[in-house]
Amino acid sequence: MAILVFIEQREGRVRSVAREALGEAVRLAAALGGPVVGVCAAAADPGLAALGDAGATEMLLATHEAFRHYEPAGYVRAVVAAVERVKPSVVVFSASSMGRDLAPRVAARLGVGLAADCTALAVEGGRLVATRPVFASKAVQRVAFTGTPAMVSLRPKVFAAAPSQNGAAPTVTPLAIDHDPAAARSRVREVKTTSAGKVDLTEAEIIVSGGRGLKGPENFAIIEALALALGATVGASRAVVDAGWRPHGDQVGQTGKTVSPKLYVAIAISGAIQHLAGMSSSRCIVAINKDPDAPIFKVADFGVVGDAFEVVPALTEAVKALNARS
Amino acid sequence: MLQVVCIKQVADTETRVKVAADGRTLDPAGVTWILNPYDEFALEQALRIREAAGEGEVVVLSLGGPGVQTTLRNALAMGADRAIHLKTDAVQPDSLQVARALAAELQGLGPHLIWFGKQAVDDDAAQVAPMVAELLGHPCVTVVAAIELTQGAEGGPAGGQAVIEREIEGAREVVEVTLPAVLAADKGLNEPRYASLKGIMAAKKKPIDEKPVSLGPPALEILSLALPAARAPGRIVGQGVEAVPELVRVLREEARVI
Ligand SMILES: Cc1cc2nc3c(=O)[nH]c(=O)nc-3n(C[C@H](O)[C@H](O)[C@H](O)COP(=O)(O)OP(=O)(O)OC[C@H]3O[C@@H](n4cnc5c(N)ncnc54)[C@H](O)[C@@H]3O)c2cc1C
Ligand SMILES: Nc1ncnc2c1ncn2[C@@H]1O[C@H](COP(=O)(O)O)[C@@H](O)[C@H]1O
């Protein structure tokens, strides 16, 4: 049986999370057997043939003028049509904003279960088992599926992207769907960019977050400077967001974003359980805090006890010096 | 205008997770139960819409064991008009089971707006809202950061419109929907109110309609719940600015992240 992968595109470009989903689908196919087939909804082909060497044999492409933006009703139709056509054992989405909105709709339509925001997939005794964090990463749940296809969405930045294999390009097959935007009763009027050119927290390789210990919004300049030197995205604790120092989109934690960068630098953040919930799956955690007993040091791989106003600028200079050398 | 807010009772965010003897669920001993934080934003917005319109009804709907009535009571104290409790003994129904039961009840109520939280902070699924929308054939917007009702939507009848901003990666989608619609609230939508003493007193007299439900078959089978693997212990590389060269070295040479 095939494995179907939803290929997410925005503004005509395939998103990096789609490569992660493809990568995991290829690994699953090795255990479950069957080809990997992609399905994409777009206004025009976003260059699916170029994803060919990522391991899929076929790409089903549903095009509609309305698919320039995310159009849930039409996208659901496209994925459901693909499911009916290839009869997959598993459907893989990314747990991005789009995937988290779309996958449950498809699951409800098909009447099957969905394991959302998975951090690992395995095949045990011939069946798919999904591992997913629950209780804001304070516990992990393993789930299996009672129906077919099994549906999963994958947490961004956790799964390795499909490598380029210089294999044969997949065939791109048009997928005919019957979609009437007017009947959908919902339409994306515009997409307002809120952080031009900035990598989103959920997709950032490096995050530098600041907390209440910075004492005021103006002091985020030292955080911004370090982030710039590291090529990082700026995050924040809830205390800072609730004080209005940073926008809501910057909040990391239980009621903010869940992030898994390769490096997370927590500066003047105490490490409340709700903050840890959002960042404890980061690969490497650095904490800079003047209180040696701050709970953040319990999860940090590397800690510096000290005043952020001294340590952070010095760190920025050191990183810049490093960048200049390499 | 009728608005229904679907609310879930969850373990307090401070809870230290202990796994129950079944190896699959949370040990409820000593857990403090709260209204799911995201559902507070949903309820607050529904109340504000009712207040701005000067009319209408806000109904809170929750599926769960007998314990959820305290949470429904809290929602009534915040200002909801009445509550419906879909009663079940199922310990941890999956999202589709919950969505089907809620959708069946909502079908009969016919609300103009159906509110949810972005996600429940116990299962972190973020699934029930889009599933309910799909089952009812309604448009749905998740991760709602702002909403404005237009074209007389306050007046109630379907055909009213709403313009909604939805937070996505690095951008906001501005979505126009025609009611009835399903919305899932994000933090930042508003600042939820605290229940006033007067509200708490009034809530005691508001009705909670109790309805037993039988759930459909599960779509997911929970195999286990476990604590995550502990992170390898870290270390303090030093104090103050003197620690910076060593920090840079370990990040580069040991962790290989810069
Ligand atoms: C339902 C609920 C949901 C929540 N969700 C979230 C969430 O999503 N994300 C989140 O972050 N929080 C969340 N919280 C809030 C959380 O409990 C904490 O209140 C919050 O994380 C604290 O933020 P902070 O670490 O910036 O501030 P504080 O706890 O005040 O810590 C400030 C830290 O700065 C240090 N410091 C002070 N001065 C300096 C200096 N000069 N140099 C170095 N260090 C210094 C201090 O030692 C201290 O450790 C939630 C709470 C609840 C109840
Ligand atoms: N048992 C329930 N009763 C009522 N509403 C629920 C229930 N479970 C989930 N919800 C709603 O669905 C939202 C998303 O939950 P979830 O999909 O579990 O993350 C919650 O914020 C609630 O608004």
Side-chain angles (χ1 to χ4, degrees):
Chain A
M1 274 165 106
I3 293 171
L4 184 69
V5 184
F6 175 69
I7 306 293
E8 181 171 332
Q9 61 82 29
R10 233 160 81 190
E11 268 138 37
R13 269 210 298 274
V14 173
R15 302 192 70 238
S16 62
V17 289
R19 277 191 175 272
E20 296 170 14
L22 263 177
E24 187 60 13
V26 170
R27 280 183 290 277
L28 273 185
L32 287 171
V36 174
V37 177
V39 57
C40 181
D45 185 349
L48 294 174
L51 278 172
D53 49 8
T57 51
E58 188 181 19
M59 291 285 171
L60 302 173
L61 173 66
T63 50
H64 193 290
E65 160 50 30
F67 295 171
R68 213 158 50 82
H69 293 310
Y70 175 48
E71 163 98 13
Y75 281 44
V76 168
R77 280 222 164 78
V79 179
V80 169
V83 167
E84 282 163 1
R85 182 163 166 155
V86 302
K87 308 216 165 14
S89 55
V90 185
V91 187
V92 184
F93 293 82
S94 168
S96 59
S97 317
M98 193 187 290
R100 290 209 98 171
D101 190 274
L102 177 63
R105 287 173 156 260
V106 175
R109 179 73 69 90
L110 298 173
V112 297
L114 163 66
D117 205 23
C118 300
T119 51
L121 299 180
V123 177
E124 295 175 13
R127 70 173 182 168
L128 181 69
V129 174
T131 299
R132 51 185 306 274
V134 290
F135 296 103
S137 302
K138 282 183 274 181
V140 283
Q141 192 183 54
R142 284 166 63 256
V143 299
F145 302 81
T146 61
T148 310
M151 292 197 30
V152 293
S153 67
L154 309 183
R155 178 174 289 192
K157 305 299 300 171
V158 171
F159 294 85
S164 289
Q165 295 170 330
N166 295 323
T171 41
V172 178
T173 313
L175 186 66
I177 57 156
D178 155 35
H179 174 58
D180 172 14
R185 294 197 285 132
S186 125
R187 178 179 82 94
V188 173
R189 185 165 76 188
E190 78 175 290
V191 179
K192 295 198 282 193
T193 305
T194 45
S195 48
K198 209 177 89 172
V199 180
D200 189 71
L201 280 172
T202 56
E203 291 168 5
E205 292 278 332
I206 303 181
I207 294 171
V208 180
S209 280
R212 178 150 54 195
L214 291 167
K215 305 197 169 54
E218 64 286 357
N219 295 330
F220 265 75
I222 62 170
I223 304 294
E224 301 269 7
L226 177 59
L228 189 65
L230 287 170
T233 299
V234 174
S237 70
R238 175 165 175 171
V240 157
V241 167
D242 285 358
W245 302 354
R246 302 292 300 182
H248 282 287
D250 283 7
Q251 185 183 318
V252 172
Q254 183 138 30
T255 45
K257 292 191 171 136
T258 303
V259 299
S260 317
K262 69 176 185 189
L263 173 62
Y264 187 92
V265 186
I267 298 167
I269 290 177
S270 60
I273 193 160
Q274 298 94 347
H275 188 81
L276 302 184
M279 43 65 78
S280 55
S281 64
S282 305
R283 186 137 66 81
C284 176
I285 297 171
V286 169
I288 300 171
N289 196 301
K290 69 175 183 190
D291 173 7
D293 297 323
I296 190 75
F297 287 124
K298 294 212 179 74
V299 299
D301 299 285
F302 305 110
V304 173
V305 178
D307 186 341
F309 295 104
E310 293 166 10
V311 177
V312 175
L315 179 57
T316 305
E317 288 315 311
V319 172
K320 279 192 195 158
L322 200 66
N323 291 346
R325 256 188 287 142
S326 51
Chain B
M1 152 167 200
L2 174 63
Q3 299 180 84
V4 178
V5 187
C6 296
I7 63 174
K8 186 177 191 187
Q9 183 179 59
V10 297
D12 184 18
T13 56
E14 295 280 349
T15 306
R16 306 259 159 210
V17 172
K18 273 200 278 348
V19 179
D22 66 6
R24 301 187 304 120
T25 54
L26 173 72
D27 180 352
V31 170
T32 307
W33 301 98
I34 60 165
L35 170 57
N36 181 38
Y38 287 108
D39 302 357
E40 280 187 40
F41 302 109
L43 176 56
E44 175 64 33
Q45 200 62 34
L47 296 174
R48 288 186 189 190
I49 288 171
R50 186 193 64 192
E51 285 156 7
E55 59 91 34
E57 193 181 26
V58 173
V59 178
V60 283
L61 171 63
S62 188
L63 178 145
V68 308
Q69 294 211 0
T70 53
T71 295
L72 284 169
R73 215 41 97 187
N74 293 344
L76 293 172
M78 272 176 76
D81 299 295
R82 63 187 177 94
I84 301 172
H85 175 199
L86 300 181
K87 222 168 147 182
T88 169
D89 294 328
V91 180
Q92 214 172 77
D94 64 49
S95 306
L96 190 57
Q97 288 177 299
V98 174
R100 282 177 167 155
L102 294 179
E105 181 64 22
L106 288 161
Q107 187 92 59
L109 293 167
H112 304 101
L113 280 177
I114 305 170
W115 287 97
F116 290 84
K118 177 180 93 167
Q119 79 190 53
V121 300
D122 50 4
D123 60 33
D124 289 325
Q127 291 189 22
V128 175
M131 283 181 162
V132 165
E134 194 62 32
L135 294 170
L136 294 174
H138 287 342
C140 169
V141 186
T142 52
V143 207
V144 171
I147 174 169
E148 194 193 331
L149 294 178
T150 54
Q151 287 191 17
E154 288 91 345
Q161 301 246 315
V163 178
I164 292 151
E165 292 195 15
R166 158 168 206 266
E167 186 94 35
I168 62 170
E169 294 85 358
R172 276 188 176 194
E173 280 177 352
V174 183
V175 190
E176 288 172 358
V177 299
T178 303
L179 311 194
V182 170
L183 304 173
D186 192 12
K187 175 179 180 286
L189 177 60
N190 53 45
E191 201 57 64
R193 69 194 65 188
Y194 289 100
S196 64
L197 195 58
K198 197 167 142 238
I200 294 168
M201 296 312 288
K204 293 189 174 144
K205 289 191 225 90
K206 292 179 180 171
I208 297 182
D209 191 1
E210 230 181 84
K211 299 184 170 182
V213 284
S214 50
L215 301 176
L220 292 177
E221 182 190 339
I222 297 166
L223 303 175
S224 67
L225 180 74
L227 300 185
R231 290 185 74 91
R235 64 174 197 264
I236 301 289
V237 298
Q239 315 273 328
V241 284
E242 285 75 51
V244 167
E246 175 63 3
L247 178 62
V248 171
R249 190 193 67 77
V250 295
L251 290 180
R252 192 165 180 89
E253 292 170 18
E254 288 181 27
R256 296 172 188 272
V257 288
I258 62 171

